[in-house]
Amino acid sequence: MARRRLSDTSHPDTSLDDAYWLSFGDQPQPPMRDKIIYLTAEEVARVGPAVFNVASVSDRLGITHPMVNHYFGGRDALLAETAFVVYQRYIHSLWEAVAAAPAEPRARLRAWMMQQIEGTAKLGGWGGILNYPSSSMHVSGLLQENFGDKMRELFVSNTVRLGVLVEDLRAGEVTSFDGMDIEALRMRFLAQPESMARGGSVGLSTLGVAIWNAGQHLPTRGAPELDEHKDQLIASHVERVIDAALT
């Protein structure tokens, strides 16, 4: 019997057409390595890292399991790299929302906050790895080891630009982020504790409601008062946080 090659196909998922792959980027047929990452991102968001099985990805792509190991070295390394890609896309979505918002300080800050709330919900099972590292310690360790520096750069850039949105709100200005010197701004905010604190408060307040909205907080799930008015509660929270940033 002939041996199957690493790229040997069997019955790939025919729904994975050009339109499907274009939902992840600008390539109708990305490289196989990227396809594995994109499908892993989708699968883990749906079922979580603990239940995720590499076979579900390799079967849909019509490739052998060893091919996944060939590209990534193992399941946990695949999860770690995909977690970084997911985080990159998450941060990028925040600033896409800001760019699409009206050129008005309050609208831009509101767009960032609402996108964090909605984007955190879309993370699904990735929320455990990114927000609660101890839930997947080996994956989190690989993520930190291989991508920690790049993730911190993204976090700093996001935090500094959020600080600018808050200061724009207070000054009634709209700052362009084109060509912005992130390191210079970071040093400026470090020298201005009040500005740094205001941005931090907005970020943490938004993250709190984002995680609540995305998760399954058992004491509050099924409570009619919250289920029926969740959207209104979130919108009111966002406006109150914006108002507080003006004081």
Side-chain angles (χ1 to χ4, degrees):
M1 182 180 293
R3 292 180 60 190
R4 295 180 70 191
R5 295 175 299 170
L6 288 179
S7 59
D8 190 20
T9 59
S10 51
H11 301 288
D13 184 344
T14 57
S15 70
L16 304 180
D17 56 11
D18 291 358
Y20 175 84
W21 298 119
L22 285 170
S23 69
F24 292 94
D26 57 5
Q27 293 181 289
Q29 285 297 320
M32 181 59 71
R33 195 178 194 283
D34 290 346
K35 289 182 176 181
I36 294 170
I37 288 174
Y38 296 153
L39 277 188
T40 299
E42 182 183 77
E43 288 284 313
V44 173
R46 184 174 62 86
V47 304
V51 177
F52 170 71
N53 190 327
V54 171
S56 64
V57 169
S58 58
D59 288 350
R60 290 185 71 191
L61 289 171
I63 61 175
T64 62
H65 189 162
M67 193 172 182
V68 176
N69 291 335
H70 166 72
Y71 280 123
F72 300 95
R75 174 186 183 275
D76 286 355
L78 167 62
L79 286 173
E81 183 166 345
T82 306
F84 174 62
V85 172
V86 167
Y87 184 68
Q88 280 183 304
R89 293 170 64 88
Y90 169 74
I91 296 296
H92 182 67
S93 74
L94 299 177
W95 298 99
E96 277 191 325
V98 171
E104 187 274 321
R106 191 179 187 102
R108 297 207 318 162
L109 181 56
R110 182 188 299 114
W112 185 95
M113 295 174 71
M114 292 304 299
Q115 181 57 37
Q116 184 177 42
I117 293 167
E118 294 167 8
T120 300
K122 291 178 181 177
L123 287 176
W126 291 106
I129 291 176
L130 295 172
N131 294 314
Y132 303 99
S134 61
S135 66
S136 302
M137 292 187 68
H138 190 230
V139 175
S140 298
L142 289 171
L143 180 59
Q144 173 65 22
E145 178 182 344
N146 297 329
F147 303 101
D149 289 344
K150 292 180 179 179
M151 289 188 72
R152 278 186 289 275
E153 288 177 10
L154 287 168
F155 172 78
V156 169
S157 175
N158 181 50
T159 302
V160 166
R161 286 183 288 171
L162 173 59
V164 172
L165 290 182
V166 174
E167 293 308 298
D168 277 1
L169 175 73
R170 296 172 60 80
E173 299 175 351
V174 174
T175 298
S176 171
F177 293 112
D178 294 338
M180 178 173 285
D181 187 336
I182 296 297
E183 181 58 23
L185 276 173
R186 186 179 77 87
M187 296 306 295
R188 191 188 87 187
F189 277 113
L190 287 174
Q192 299 175 348
E194 282 300 314
S195 293
M196 186 170 63
R198 280 191 288 266
S201 292
V202 171
L204 291 172
S205 297
T206 309
L207 179 62
V209 74
I211 291 176
W212 170 78
N213 177 61
Q216 294 295 323
H217 184 236
L218 292 180
T220 58
R221 291 297 165 181
E225 300 84 353
L226 295 177
D227 289 347
E228 294 173 13
H229 304 289
K230 184 182 72 170
D231 291 344
Q232 181 182 343
L233 288 169
I234 290 173
S236 296
H237 174 80
V238 167
E239 297 306 320
R240 286 191 176 94
V241 171
I242 293 174
D243 288 341
L246 285 165
T247 63

